[in-house]
Amino acid sequence: MEIQAIELAHFRNYQGLQINFTPGVNIFVGANGQGKTNLLESIALLSGGGSHRDARDAEMVQWQEEYYRIKATVRSDGQSVALELAFGGERRKLAKVNGRKLRRIAELSETLNTVVFSPEDLSLVKGSPAQRRRFLDRELSQASPAYGDVLSRYARVVTQRNNLLRRFREGAVTAAELELWDDQLAPLAVELLGRRLDGLARIAPYARQIYRGLSRDREQLELTYRSSFPLPEDRLRWLEVYRAALKDRRAEEIARQSTLTGPHRDDLQLFLNGRDARTYGSQGQQRSIALSLKLAEIAYIHQIKGEYPLVLLDDVMSELDPDRRQQLLAELESKHIQVFITTTHLHAFLPEQLGRAGIFRIQAGQLSRRSE
Ligand SMILES: Nc1ncnc2c1ncn2[C@@H]1O[C@H](COP(=O)(O)OP(=O)(O)O)[C@@H](O)[C@H]1O
Ligand SMILES: [Mg+2]
């Protein structure tokens, strides 16, 4: 898949912008605060998973304006497709494919997929479990909007159940009412777990293989899903085991007014040669793992969709050492993936890479295309 042209109206510091991209590598170069990440963000939004920096829609509307609108001409599945995403003004949020309004914004991912790689991803291994869950959730939602659906329904029930736990302590809610919420929570939790484990089972072999290549066969990466309650082999038993786990911790949950067991508490564990990479991995190894996970995400989307996603690299070139940088670019170019890169300067690139790339200089929300 590929974005051929994009048109922005009142998006962040872009009053109006209309630009054509190249099918290969596109480089956005400019000083800090000029709008490089903003432009990348607008591309990421077109795959329906929200802002890669978790911005709210209202923040992305240009100051003093009423709405933002992003339009793009995309090639997907051999077809030329018109995408549109708008927020604000009279309507709340609206997405269209070829002029047809989508029921849910997340359905954009049926046409366009993006994998974003930013400096925070380099700390995926070291970061909190929440960061690794988010990685998995974003990835699996892109591959299947149904996953995102289950995830958001589950998250809603957890929030409501937490409110209930608070009110239970105040005596405003009965134990029977709590049980009713467990009836809602448990099947969603179990479905989410099943989907996560299935997804991980498909991603893990790619990550292992890619890591093996990056470490030149020296180290072995293992990914393990760590559930907040013991998961029996037999999936048909998950529901009852989860309900039992909820019961076990009921008193503690009431005391802490929070749901303590379930997929919102789980983690993705990463091991190198059998040792926890979070504790024992060097910074270089941790970065290679993060890179492998991202490249595995790209391969996984390709496996599901039959096409590679767009890859957005936000400020990662300067964060990677020259070796990993060249490995990454060569890998993406060899697969003919459309890539968007932000950078403050061009010396991270080889002359022949620059020769093939589309280079856009960005200054205060204005773009000029330049040839090297
Ligand atoms: N909603 C908005 N309306 C107008 N300008 C915005 C908005 N949000 C952010 N900006 C501006 O965008 C700039 C940051 O752009 P960004 O793309 O993050 O920079 P960089 O080029 O460093 O990646 C800042 O100057 C900020 O003032
Ligand atoms: Mg930036």
Side-chain angles (χ1 to χ4, degrees):
M1 38 188 89
E2 165 197 337
I3 297 195
Q4 296 170 314
I6 199 165
E7 202 183 309
L8 304 181
H10 312 317
F11 183 83
R12 296 268 195 194
N13 65 337
Y14 295 95
Q15 172 70 31
L17 175 78
Q18 216 177 334
I19 199 104
N20 296 326
F21 294 128
T22 55
V25 175
N26 293 270
I27 302 174
F28 304 144
V29 54
N32 284 327
Q34 302 305 306
K36 302 184 296 295
T37 301
N38 293 346
L39 183 54
L40 224 59
E41 187 176 42
S42 72
I43 296 171
L45 284 171
L46 288 173
S47 58
S51 160
H52 71 285
R53 40 181 173 184
D54 283 334
R56 288 177 301 116
D57 284 299
E59 292 165 39
M60 298 186 276
V61 175
Q62 188 168 39
W63 301 323
Q64 324 293 343
E65 295 293 344
E66 302 278 302
Y67 70 92
Y68 75 66
R69 190 178 60 231
I70 305 165
K71 287 185 177 186
T73 312
V74 165
R75 266 200 94 71
S76 168
D77 211 6
Q79 314 264 334
S80 176
V81 183
L83 293 186
E84 182 176 340
L85 179 67
F87 169 84
E90 299 295 295
R91 298 176 238 99
R92 273 181 55 230
K93 199 171 182 184
L94 174 83
K96 289 182 185 171
V97 172
N98 287 334
R100 186 179 56 84
K101 187 176 173 301
L102 298 181
R103 218 163 38 83
R104 288 176 302 129
I105 306 297
E107 288 170 17
L108 283 169
S109 69
E110 284 164 13
T111 305
L112 194 75
N113 299 114
T114 58
V115 170
V116 187
F117 198 3
S118 58
E120 298 82 74
D121 293 313
L122 289 170
S123 57
L124 197 64
V125 180
K126 247 201 149 104
S128 63
Q131 245 177 301
R132 287 181 293 278
R133 283 195 301 269
R134 195 167 158 278
F135 163 78
L136 209 55
D137 287 339
R138 271 191 94 93
E139 170 160 5
L140 299 178
S141 312
Q142 283 232 21
S144 133
Y147 180 91
D149 236 29
V150 177
L151 178 67
S152 59
R153 274 158 57 212
Y154 174 75
R156 249 197 322 271
V157 174
V158 169
T159 308
Q160 285 166 334
R161 192 174 177 277
N162 290 346
N163 286 333
L164 220 73
L165 287 167
R166 190 163 320 132
R167 292 183 34 229
F168 182 85
R169 216 164 80 146
E170 294 159 0
V173 162
T174 64
E177 281 174 280
L178 267 184
E179 290 271 330
L180 280 179
W181 278 92
D182 291 358
D183 292 343
Q184 305 238 4
L185 184 71
L188 288 169
V190 164
E191 181 170 357
L192 193 57
L193 272 171
R195 286 174 179 270
R196 278 201 187 149
L197 283 168
D198 291 343
L200 193 62
R202 292 174 78 166
I203 296 159
Y206 289 120
R208 270 201 299 271
Q209 184 200 340
I210 293 163
Y211 189 88
R212 201 179 310 129
L214 288 180
S215 75
R216 303 204 163 75
D217 264 339
R218 280 195 297 263
E219 290 149 10
Q220 173 94 12
L221 173 67
E222 278 310 325
L223 293 82
T224 320
Y225 190 84
R226 188 157 162 270
S227 166
S228 52
F229 66 99
L231 285 180
E233 197 71 33
D234 179 6
R235 287 195 182 194
L236 294 173
R237 293 194 49 224
W238 286 5
L239 196 65
E240 76 182 72
V241 174
Y242 180 56
R243 301 263 339 207
L246 284 175
K247 240 198 196 96
D248 274 356
R249 298 189 75 179
R250 167 88 14 115
E252 197 186 346
E253 288 194 326
I254 290 164
R256 290 172 56 185
Q257 302 170 30
S258 166
T259 301
L260 301 173
T261 318
H264 66 296
R265 290 283 179 137
D266 295 351
D267 198 0
L268 172 64
Q269 285 187 305
L270 302 153
F271 296 93
L272 274 190
N273 291 346
R275 289 217 166 77
D276 192 340
R278 190 177 178 192
T279 319
Y280 298 107
S282 69
Q283 199 196 32
Q285 287 169 327
Q286 292 180 345
R287 289 186 163 206
S288 289
I289 295 175
L291 202 56
S292 307
L293 288 175
K294 281 287 155 177
L295 291 170
E297 180 175 355
I298 294 166
Y300 171 67
I301 290 177
H302 179 255
Q303 184 193 43
I304 301 253
K305 301 292 179 91
E307 274 188 278
Y308 283 108
L310 313 191
V311 174
L312 317 184
L313 304 175
D314 195 9
D315 283 336
V316 289
M317 294 318 265
S318 55
E319 298 281 328
L320 293 171
D321 55 74
D323 232 25
R324 289 193 181 82
R325 196 152 67 204
Q326 293 315 325
Q327 262 173 334
L328 175 62
L329 268 187
E331 173 80 13
L332 299 174
E333 279 202 289
S334 74
K335 298 196 152 81
H336 305 287
I337 293 175
Q338 191 180 31
V339 186
F340 297 88
I341 301 175
T342 70
T343 183
T344 47
H345 48 69
L346 295 172
H347 12 279
F349 301 89
L350 304 173
E352 60 267 29
Q353 285 165 341
L354 292 176
R356 289 190 293 272
I359 299 169
F360 304 87
R361 200 156 276 284
I362 303 191
Q363 203 175 10
Q366 304 282 334
L367 251 73
S368 50
R369 197 172 175 142
R370 59 176 267 190
S371 43
E372 283 308 291

